[in-house]
Amino acid sequence: HVDAPELEVDSVSVAYGDLVAVWDASLELRAGSITALVGRNGAGKTTLISGVCGLLPLRSGSVRLLGEDVTEVPPWGRVPRGMSAVQEGKRVFRDLTVRENLLLGLRGNRVKRAQFDSALAELYDRFPILGERRDQRAADLSGGQQQMLAIGTALASRPKVLLVDEPSSGLAPVFVDVVFECLERLRDEGMAILLVEQLVEEVLGGIADEVIVLERGRVTLRDAAANLSVDDVARGIYSS
Ligand code: ATP
């Protein structure tokens, strides 16, 4: 069905032992849209993303990816089915070159060796700066470029659903803009994106189509970004 969501998260709870960090969270991601997940530190945003991509077990609830129930599928099995995640903090291999980082992403995503060159060319096309700096160590890239490298690595599997945990963290505003433009381009190409983000004004200022507020592990607000003001969202975050 054309209008079916790419990702359906239904009443998901995630716990660390006896500590339940996310309660009954539901969300849907549609093709060609960015959903921003906001909330203060410790609200459970990273925990929810980890549950959705399978890195943490669910205590209850279900996850459907492109119409298929993947609740019992391990994270590495979700990648070839169309889900990819970028963890917080620019997870790149600092001592490897840009090209080596991308190659690891391709191999990790089971891209065939014969397709490496065309896949790399496609990634350099999308991120020209990575092409220019392909033989430099990742450690020598700026923070924004490292974040693009992390996103580029996640794109190697050609995901339909992309989960991105706080790509702006630690970046100067000019680099935040570059990263957001990259996410907007992916959205315009039809990707369904879940973006964890603390910058409420940026979120409402254009990048997000939908906003979900998480507060102490619970979803307290979920609406189209166009219907929300910064105050509404701040109230959702700070009402407790
Ligand atoms: P931040 O913006 O700081 O990353 P967050 O909204 O992503 O915050 P989480 O990191 O998901 O929040 O944390 C949610 C809750 O789960 C917090 O109370 C946190 O202390 C707890 N928590 C997170 N990781 C673990 C862990 N590995 N073991 C036990 N508790 C954890």
Side-chain angles (χ1 to χ4, degrees):
H1 190 264
V2 186
D3 292 321
E6 307 284 83
L7 183 77
E8 296 168 81
V9 174
D10 188 29
S11 300
V12 156
S13 298
V14 189
Y16 298 99
D18 288 337
L19 173 82
V20 182
V22 172
W23 301 81
D24 258 346
S26 297
L27 60 92
E28 292 180 353
L29 301 186
R30 292 183 183 276
S33 73
I34 296 178
T35 299
L37 182 59
V38 304
R40 57 173 131 183
N41 290 337
K45 305 179 297 294
T46 300
T47 303
L48 176 55
I49 282 214
S50 303
V52 169
C53 70
L55 287 171
L56 285 173
L58 301 186
R59 197 178 205 235
S60 57
S62 66
V63 177
R64 291 180 79 80
L65 175 61
L66 308 179
E68 181 191 357
D69 189 330
V70 296
T71 312
E72 305 297 330
V73 176
W76 56 88
R78 299 183 196 202
V79 174
R81 285 176 168 83
M83 182 193 290
S84 201
V86 183
Q87 288 174 291
E88 193 177 355
K90 295 168 273 159
R91 301 292 180 86
V92 298
F93 294 99
R94 297 172 55 81
D95 290 330
L96 299 183
T97 66
V98 167
R99 183 168 175 279
E100 288 164 342
N101 267 282
L102 292 172
L103 283 174
L104 275 179
L106 294 174
R107 287 178 52 175
N109 288 301
R110 306 197 190 136
V111 175
K112 295 205 175 63
R113 194 168 289 269
Q115 285 158 8
F116 278 6
D117 283 343
S118 63
L120 280 179
E122 200 179 301
L123 285 166
Y124 295 150
D125 206 37
R126 182 180 294 285
F127 306 108
I129 189 69
L130 297 184
E132 285 166 31
R133 310 193 69 174
R134 68 186 77 181
D135 294 320
Q136 295 183 21
R137 287 166 69 238
D140 297 331
L141 300 181
S142 72
Q145 290 163 354
Q146 288 185 26
Q147 190 58 259
M148 275 190 271
L149 181 55
I151 294 171
T153 308
L155 294 180
S157 58
R158 301 175 185 279
K160 296 265 196 276
V161 172
L162 185 67
L163 315 175
V164 195
D165 196 351
E166 263 193 278
S168 68
S169 111
L171 296 187
V174 56
F175 295 124
V176 174
D177 290 345
V178 172
V179 170
F180 279 8
E181 277 163 25
C182 155
L183 294 176
E184 285 171 334
R185 196 146 35 97
L186 292 169
R187 180 257 312 271
D188 294 344
E189 291 169 14
M191 203 171 280
I193 299 175
L194 182 63
L195 168 68
V196 169
E197 191 46 75
Q198 304 258 24
L199 304 173
V200 173
E201 292 191 20
E202 316 274 340
V203 160
L204 291 176
I207 190 166
D209 300 287
E210 206 196 2
V211 178
I212 294 175
V213 176
L214 202 59
E215 197 186 339
R216 288 194 279 168
R218 295 179 191 274
V219 173
T220 53
L221 184 64
R222 182 176 153 189
D223 204 347
N227 294 337
L228 294 170
S229 68
V230 172
D231 281 350
D232 294 330
V233 175
R235 259 199 300 279
I237 295 177
Y238 298 113
S239 61
S240 53

